[in-house]
Amino acid sequence: MDAQGRGRADDVDPADQWVLNPRTGEYELRLSPSAPESSVPGPRAAGPRASGRRTTAPGREVPPQRRRRAEPEVPVPGRRGRRPEKKKSRGKRVLLWTGGSMAFVVLVAGVGGYVYLKHLEGNVSTTDVGTAGSSSFKKDEAFNILIIGTDKRTGEGNEGYGDKGSAGHADTNILLHVAKDRSNATALSIPRDLIVDIPDCETTQEDGTKKVIPGTSGVRFNQSLGDLGRDAGCTMRTVAETTGIKPDHFMMADFNAVKTLTTAVDGVDVCVENAVDDPKSHLQLPAGESTVEGEQALAFVRTRHAFGNEGDLDRIKVQQQFLGSLMRKMASGDTLTSPTKLVKLAEAATKALTVDSAIGKVGTLKDIALELKKVPTKNITFTTVPVIDNPAEKVKATVVVNEAKGPQVFDMIRNDISFTEVEQKKKKEKAAVAARLKGEKSEPGEVRVRVMNGGAPAGSAQQELAYLQTQAGVSKSENAGNAPAEVAKTTLEYAPDQADQARALAEILGLSGAAMKPGESVTNAQGLPTMTLTLGKDFKGAGVKLDGSVKKPDLDTESTADQKLCAS
């Protein structure tokens, strides 16, 4: 190919070569005869084309395309890529998470073939966090991803942000929990000025050796990254230490991510109650709705002086509103039906990301995205760790966990409990669950049940059995040892003809209708049918009432991704 021909091929936008095949409902890569080499970004074969064959990847050759009879109604297909099923194209979501100085996006629909995916994979940086996270991503489990935005300055035009010479502290932090059934998700913001204890953490050095960095007490959360060479694994360990929730993976980006990603989607819609003119961040916006991208988008999520009390907690609220708007933009048909935008997003996202080694493959990132897209936007809750001013300070500069509310929030996430009402599921189950507690109840002495330990502290089954027999009058009870597997919630399984016994025991123990599991009975040593009470991790002690309903704490900061809010 001569120089002129190469120039024409290079001028072709990769996205423009993807065409929709109406017969299959999939996008296909169409390579024109004048540009037979793949214009998808990736390694180019060196040297001229030989023997009529074209090269698509190093060391790999494919035969020249055969001539086909024209089919006017269907574009001529080339190599086929992946595309979501035909009738759901507008429902396919690309989730973009960005806050302050961080951004995360994963392309839900596969846009290119193998070569392009490998190209994207080469854009992603990885960090070995060892035992701080999970060794692999599991599609059939709930998962927690710690999203970190650093204050590290990289790229042109970022001199006005962050600390000069910073190694990159944990400036903006969101713990994203995705429910096991994918019906909901919670994005928990962790203030950078939260006082925490940073545990000892093992880090992997550039030469591959391991180094343990000593922990420290009573310091700001943002020091869990950057200080003394701490990496994202140290931040993950700090989250686990503070909340009791272990992050499975992390994703991290710096200032440039906000600019490049918002530009890739042609801007994000924001709203402010009053006009903004902040000379420190250079943010200027009229009252009402505006569209921001690039430098202006970064200024919007970084400003501390335009909203509220000019503190970090108010900035977190604005960042959460920004995230909700951005997610709505990403889920819109205008974005999802544009191959050009999808390619730009894939490039910007992968170049912006640093992730743990376990999810460093682009195929794994795609799998995460496919799981994320299952969560309805209305059931994605943004909230913040409940905090109070640090009582040890006269001049208030830091915060500590609100012990009256914080543990409840952490428990809900740890136990995979939604902060939002999943309405359709609630309507289907509400009547049936409530009915389990209604009806006649047997006398305690007629209740026959075996007790098993399914995750409660050792000895709990025997302690509960003693309570039932000596204090509750359930004399026909027995200890059945350990359950086959651990469970989070205590359950009572019973056959339909044991419903009156089940209601009686539920009243004694304080079991909710959700804890009652109609099913089958088992036969005890005397050959008599017996219910099974399995004590879960929620078991609080013998005789302590078990209420399966959860009371959500009254939170000052909470919103969902489908709400359109104005910053104030």
Side-chain angles (χ1 to χ4, degrees):
M1 179 181 294
D2 58 21
Q4 185 178 4
R6 285 196 300 271
R8 286 193 301 270
D10 290 342
D11 288 340
V12 178
D13 188 324
D16 292 338
Q17 293 190 313
W18 290 88
V19 295
L20 181 66
N21 186 334
R23 186 169 55 189
T24 64
E26 296 183 342
Y27 274 106
E28 300 177 349
L29 180 62
R30 179 175 60 191
L31 301 176
S32 64
S34 62
E37 293 179 299
S38 173
S39 57
V40 184
R44 282 186 186 270
R49 192 174 61 180
S51 304
R53 304 176 73 87
R54 58 188 178 91
T55 302
T56 60
R60 180 183 175 192
E61 292 185 345
V62 295
Q65 293 179 311
R66 297 179 179 179
R67 298 181 62 85
R68 302 179 61 178
R69 283 185 295 177
E71 295 179 3
E73 71 280 6
V74 180
V76 180
R79 286 183 58 190
R80 295 178 60 174
R82 291 186 292 275
R83 175 73 176 173
E85 56 267 27
K86 183 175 181 180
K87 291 187 179 293
K88 297 183 180 179
S89 61
R90 288 187 176 270
K92 300 302 180 185
R93 293 179 177 86
V94 178
L95 287 187
L96 176 65
W97 299 84
T98 179
S101 52
M102 73 83 196
F104 152 62
V105 67
V106 183
L107 192 61
V108 172
V111 183
Y114 175 80
V115 174
Y116 186 58
L117 294 180
K118 296 304 290 183
H119 162 76
L120 292 178
E121 192 168 292
N123 290 343
V124 181
S125 300
T126 61
T127 298
D128 180 6
V129 298
T131 59
S134 299
S135 59
S136 61
F137 174 70
K138 298 178 181 178
K139 297 181 183 179
D140 57 350
E141 298 290 340
F143 60 91
N144 303 310
I145 297 179
L146 179 61
I147 304 170
I148 307 171
T150 76
D151 58 1
K152 186 175 182 179
R153 297 181 181 181
T154 61
E156 185 179 352
N158 292 323
E159 295 79 7
Y161 300 101
D163 299 326
K164 186 176 182 180
S166 172
H169 295 107
D171 188 57
T172 301
N173 312 277
I174 296 178
L175 180 61
L176 173 64
H177 171 80
V178 180
K180 181 176 181 178
D181 64 3
R182 308 303 187 242
S183 66
N184 65 89
T186 302
L188 180 69
S189 292
I190 304 173
R192 68 175 190 175
D193 295 328
L194 178 66
I195 295 299
V196 297
D197 295 336
I198 300 175
D200 296 346
C201 60
E202 184 179 76
T203 61
T204 302
Q205 306 299 297
E206 291 185 2
D207 60 2
T209 61
K210 304 288 186 179
K211 177 183 177 181
V212 175
I213 300 176
T216 184
S217 300
V219 297
R220 282 176 165 88
F221 181 88
N222 70 342
Q223 292 180 235
S224 63
L225 179 71
D227 276 17
L228 304 178
R230 294 189 178 101
D231 61 13
C234 299
T235 309
M236 295 171 73
R237 294 179 193 276
T238 304
V239 170
E241 178 83 9
T242 305
T243 67
I245 306 166
K246 181 181 178 180
D248 297 298
H249 308 287
F250 86 89
M251 297 183 176
M252 180 169 66
D254 58 25
F255 292 134
N256 272 344
V258 178
K259 296 196 290 188
T260 58
L261 290 168
T262 53
T263 299
V265 296
D266 294 336
V268 175
D269 297 332
V270 298
C271 180
V272 295
E273 288 188 3
N274 303 301
V276 174
D277 186 2
D278 180 13
K280 293 189 176 181
S281 67
H282 308 294
L283 178 65
Q284 294 181 325
L285 290 175
E289 296 185 356
S290 300
T291 301
V292 296
E293 67 176 270
E295 189 71 35
Q296 195 177 32
L298 179 57
F300 182 83
V301 295
R302 289 293 303 160
T303 181
R304 293 176 61 124
H305 305 284
F307 310 113
N309 296 321
E310 302 187 7
D312 192 52
L313 296 179
D314 290 301
R315 180 168 63 176
I316 287 175
K317 294 179 185 178
V318 173
Q319 292 168 355
Q320 292 171 345
Q321 293 171 17
F322 182 85
L323 278 170
S325 176
L326 187 49
M327 291 169 60
R328 293 191 297 273
K329 178 69 175 285
M330 296 305 303
S332 70
D334 181 58
T335 299
L336 296 173
T337 57
S338 170
T340 301
K341 287 185 180 179
L342 292 179
V343 168
K344 288 179 180 178
L345 277 170
E347 292 290 338
T350 51
K351 288 177 182 177
L353 285 177
T354 298
V355 302
D356 57 288
S357 302
I359 59 172
K361 300 293 185 182
V362 74
T364 307
L365 292 175
K366 180 200 70 175
D367 289 341
I368 292 174
L370 291 173
E371 296 305 308
L372 284 172
K373 79 179 182 65
K374 297 176 182 178
V375 183
T377 337
K378 67 177 182 179
N379 293 331
I380 301 174
T381 300
F382 295 105
T383 190
T384 305
V385 172
V387 296
I388 58 174
D389 288 333
N390 187 352
E393 295 177 334
K394 291 184 178 180
V395 178
K396 304 304 180 184
T398 61
V399 294
V400 296
V401 173
N402 183 335
E403 293 300 333
K405 298 181 179 181
Q408 296 180 64
V409 171
F410 304 151
D411 283 345
M412 288 181 68
I413 295 175
R414 190 163 47 243
N415 292 317
D416 202 23
I417 298 172
S418 173
F419 280 69
T420 56
E421 296 286 343
V422 186
E423 292 298 338
Q424 184 175 7
K425 183 177 180 181
K426 178 183 175 183
K427 290 177 181 178
K428 288 181 179 179
E429 296 182 353
K430 185 176 180 180
V433 168
R436 296 171 191 170
L437 296 173
K438 296 179 180 180
E440 296 184 2
K441 301 179 181 66
S442 300
E443 292 297 322
E446 299 175 354
V447 174
R448 187 178 289 108
V449 63
R450 62 175 189 155
V451 183
M452 303 186 75
N453 191 332
S460 294
Q462 185 58 42
Q463 294 168 16
E464 185 74 342
L465 178 65
Y467 163 76
L468 290 173
Q469 291 181 341
T470 61
Q471 299 184 51
V474 184
S475 56
K476 297 178 181 178
S477 52
E478 59 185 270
N479 188 342
N482 291 328
E486 291 188 352
V487 294
K489 298 292 184 181
T490 297
T491 60
L492 175 62
E493 185 174 4
Y494 58 95
D497 60 357
Q498 296 172 313
D500 53 349
Q501 296 182 45
R503 286 190 285 267
L505 189 60
E507 184 177 54
I508 292 170
L509 300 179
L511 292 176
S512 69
M516 300 172 67
K517 305 296 181 184
E520 299 179 354
S521 62
V522 296
T523 303
N524 65 8
Q526 290 75 40
L528 299 173
T530 305
M531 299 185 297
T532 300
L533 175 66
T534 303
L535 304 179
K537 294 179 181 179
D538 61 338
F539 180 73
K540 303 298 182 183
V544 179
K545 293 279 188 178
L546 285 161
D547 186 357
S549 63
V550 177
K551 183 179 180 181
K552 186 178 68 176
D554 183 18
L555 302 174
D556 298 328
T557 56
E558 183 180 352
S559 62
T560 53
D562 63 327
Q563 294 177 307
K564 295 183 178 181
L565 303 174
C566 290
S568 60

